[in-house]
Structure formats: C-alpha cells, structure tokens
Amino acid sequence: MSKKKDNSSRLFDSGCFVEILIFLMILGGSYWWFIQRNQIDLSRFVSNNSVVSWLQDKFPNLPIPTLKSEDTSTEKETVLKSKETDSTQTESSQSSSSETVKNTPDLPKIESPSPIPAEEKIVNPVKPNNNSLEKETVLKSKETDRNQTESSSSETVKNPPDLPKTESPSPIAAEKKIVNPVKPNNNSLNDKVLTPWDKKEIRGIYLSRYYITNNADEKTIRERVRYYKKQGFNTIIHGVWGNGCTMYKSEVMQQILGANSCPNEFNEQWLIWLIDEAHKQGIEVHAYFEKGIKIDKNSPIFDLAIAKKWIVPGVDKTYDGIEHYVLDVEVEEVANFFTKILVEFVKKYPTIDAVQWDDYLGYHAELPGKVDRTAKLTSFTKQMITEMKKANNSVSFDLSHHNPYWAKKYFAADWEKWLVDRVFIQAYNEDNFQEELNYAKQYDGIGITDKQLHRLDELVNNSNIKSVLVFPLSGEPEKAANRVKSSF
C-alpha cells in the first residue's frame, strides 16, 4: 500500500482529532467561500497558505479549491470584472434615488454641466416694496442650492421633460431707454447734494424763433440742447410762432392764409430733433407762441389781415419804438384760426411738454375807442385751451404775463379766469421788481431778462420762488446761460 493510502486511513483513527478538526474548518471555510466568492478574491489567500499546502500533500483527494497565481489570464479576468463592478456601483451611487434611465440616448442634451442649474438662482424681478415675496424667493433659492449640493453632481433625472430650460435669460435693456418727458421738479432728485438752483422746479432758458433759422442741422440742434443741460437748465422754451406765422409746416396756415409757414429758413425736422434730444437729457421743451395775437407790418399776413378787417383799429404801442397791430379775436374767423393752429400743433408734436403764451395775448388799454374787451378775450382763451386739451390733454398751457392786477387793468387779460395750468410773472421792470416778486411767490415762478441776472442769487435762495425763467433779450442765450452757471 502506498504512503498516501496509509495516511488516508489514519483519518478514522481515534488519535486523529486534530486532522478532523482541521477538515471541518476547511469544509466550513469552503462553504463560506462558496457563498462569498463573487465578492472576495481568495486566490491571494489560498495559494499562499501553508496549512492548505500541507493538507494538499496529505490528502490529495480532498476537494480544496485553489487558484494558481501563475494563471495570469484568470487574474486579468478577475481584475476586469472588479473594474466593471466598481463602475456599475459608481454609476448607481450617482443617482439620488438609485434609479437609472432605460433609454439614456433620449435624454435632452444639457450643454451646461450639472448641478442643475445656475438659472434657478436667477429669480424673477421682485418689486422692492414687497418684502415678503422677496424673502420667500431668497429662501427658496437657498433651499434649492442646499438640495443640489447634497445630491450627486451628475444627477440622473427620471422625467427629462421636467428639466428646467437652460437657456440664458435675454438681457433687459433698450425698452428702458424709451423716455417719457421728465418733469423738471424730478430732474435733480437723484443728485446727492442739491443746490438751491437745483431745487427749482423749472429752470428755463428762452430761445427765440430766430434761433433755428438758416437751416440748423441735426448735430447743431442736439449739441445746443446738451450745452444748456450742462449749464444747469432743465427746460428749453423755444419759439414756434410769431408775427402771425409758424416756424413749422402748417396745413392750417396753408388752407387759411395761403402759406404753410413763416418765410424764415428752417429745417423741417428741427423741433423733432430738439424734443428728442431734450427728453434724452431729461429736459422739457415748452413751445413759445411769441407775440400772441399781435403782428407788425413785416408779418406775411399783414395785408390779408387788413383786407379781411381782422385788426382792431389803432396801433398798439405797449413798448417804445415798436408798433403792433392786434388781431381781433371777436372775429369768429380769427378765433377759429388761432384755435386750429394750437390744436394742430399739439397733434403734430404730441410729446411736447407745454405751450406758453406771453403778454402779447392781450389788448393795450390805450387803443382807440376805450373798448373793454376783457370778457371777449376770456371767452376766446378758455375756448382755445379747452379745444387744445381735447386734442392732447398731456400738454400744459402756460402763461408768461404781467401780474394779475396789471394784466387785467392795462391789457384786458383777466388770466386768472383762463383755465391756464401755470403762470410765470414777468418782472422785467426794475422799478417795481419787489412788487412783481411778491406776486411771483403766489404763482408758479418768475421771468427775468439777461439784464437782471444780478437778481439771480436773491431768487434762487428764496424758497417761495418755485421756478426761474431767463429771457435773454440781448439775443445771446449761450452767454446768458454761461453767466447763470458761473453764478453757482
């Protein structure tokens, strides 16, 4: 009998309990290995164990699983399987709910890397006065950020259609550039320090209708607006009518008088450019109807007015050296003409901020006949303003006139009954300046000439004077504006 056979027979001897114990341990270990073989690589353990080697020598028929370390192909296969298992486990761990999508090619492409998405942090604009909504939005945003941080960086989504759109929001922009006329009293509120001059509701500079003659181009007109803005003005009062004709193309004039404008040369778009640039700069434009219902012999309608008997008898000599003739608004044709002109203007230039008429809307008391025309002038003016408001209610009707006492007594202008929006008291006469100043405190402001700029400091520091209008009668508005700025 061979040596190996003798060794086998000793297994059942009474003195071989050690071998039996070892055999049972091996059987138990084999069973444990059998159920855990997919998770534990025993090749390194079994092949290098001295006890197992001894058992193999003693009991060659004993079924002990061994993995030869020399079998490189088996080892490679085990490594590959291990890597595949690790990859599967990694993909599984990346899902917050351990769910996978069966048809991953059908998922929408998300160009931006997860976590999803930065756009969720972009909240819809919340009105500043709604604090509760703002807090709720911020809290939701923080909660979303926290949930995204806790979840995996490459989260698999079960329902792709519910993914938020990753399009970047369109910039909010140019529509904020659409400028509504800025009221002068709001013009400087954003400044950190307001000077007394800045606090005036209207800081106006007057430019006569001749200022736009000689076909001033667009660049020139826009530069002028910016210049007056730099000098501290927030309102431009520009002549658009005077001596019986318009400084723009008028169909009303063409139909009634046979000419569509004054004979002066001007670019047809001059007022459009002026209003546009002024509103961009936060400046108002007030259209000035110079001379009102008065004309002189140089008027293009003078001969027609004489022939049609539109003129009140006599010569108006309100100002020395100037002879005017006054159109009679008691004549229905004259009243209709002025009303149609005003209505046409506010329709033609709907974004104009105001129209302003001056003290030439009145009859001098020294006209022959000593006729009281106060009631008729009031009736005409109220009707004209009413029709203008029907055509464009956003336009203010302003007046630059004498104080109410002088206006009514010497010019038949009871303007307190005219339904005007604002009145600025003319204080051109130095002899009674303080009297005019007292009136100006009761109304919307005061008008002075460039010869009275020495009064500017007094007016600016008077909190009862709401607005200051500067009328450069010298015909040099740029110099007058510069003097105003240098005063502060």
Side-chain angles (χ1 to χ4, degrees), residues 354-372:
V355 298
Q356 186 174 136
W357 290 57
D358 61 10
D359 58 310
Y360 282 84
L361 186 54
Y363 297 93
H364 195 269
E366 294 182 1
L367 287 170
K370 302 295 181 181
V371 179
D372 187 1

Side-chain angles (χ1 to χ4, degrees), residues 136-150:
E136 183 179 351
T137 304
V138 172
L139 289 174
K140 286 184 178 180
S141 177
K142 290 182 177 179
E143 183 179 354
T144 302
D145 293 342
R146 184 170 61 252
N147 292 338
Q148 290 174 353
T149 302
E150 292 173 354

Side-chain angles (χ1 to χ4, degrees), residues 102-236:
K102 290 184 178 181
N103 299 316
T104 52
D106 294 334
L107 281 172
K109 295 182 179 179
I110 303 177
E111 297 179 0
S112 60
S114 299
I116 302 172
E119 186 182 5
E120 289 185 1
K121 295 182 181 180
I122 301 175
V123 296
N124 292 328
V126 180
K127 293 183 180 179
N129 58 345
N130 196 338
N131 292 331
S132 61
L133 287 178
E134 183 177 6
K135 290 179 180 179
E136 183 179 351
T137 304
V138 172
L139 289 174
K140 286 184 178 180
S141 177
K142 290 182 177 179
E143 183 179 354
T144 302
D145 293 342
R146 184 170 61 252
N147 292 338
Q148 290 174 353
T149 302
E150 292 173 354
S151 64
S152 173
S153 61
S154 57
E155 188 175 42
T156 306
V157 182
K158 191 170 186 178
N159 299 314
D162 294 333
L163 281 173
K165 296 181 179 179
T166 57
E167 297 177 0
S168 57
S170 301
I172 302 171
E175 59 188 39
K176 291 293 181 178
K177 298 246 180 183
I178 297 176
V179 180
N180 292 324
V182 179
K183 296 299 178 185
N185 58 340
N186 293 330
N187 230 22
S188 301
L189 293 182
N190 293 329
D191 295 343
K192 293 182 178 180
V193 179
L194 297 179
T195 66
W197 172 247
D198 294 328
K199 292 178 182 178
K200 296 303 176 186
E201 291 183 6
I202 297 179
R203 308 185 298 276
I205 182 77
Y206 158 79
L207 311 177
S208 80
R209 65 188 186 280
Y210 300 112
Y211 203 54
I212 49 85
T213 55
N214 298 322
N215 285 318
D217 59 17
E218 181 178 3
K219 180 181 178 182
T220 300
I221 289 173
R222 291 184 183 275
E223 285 178 348
R224 285 175 181 171
V225 173
R226 293 192 288 269
Y227 171 78
Y228 292 110
K229 169 71 174 181
K230 290 180 181 178
Q231 307 311 308
F233 292 93
N234 64 9
T235 303
I236 291 177

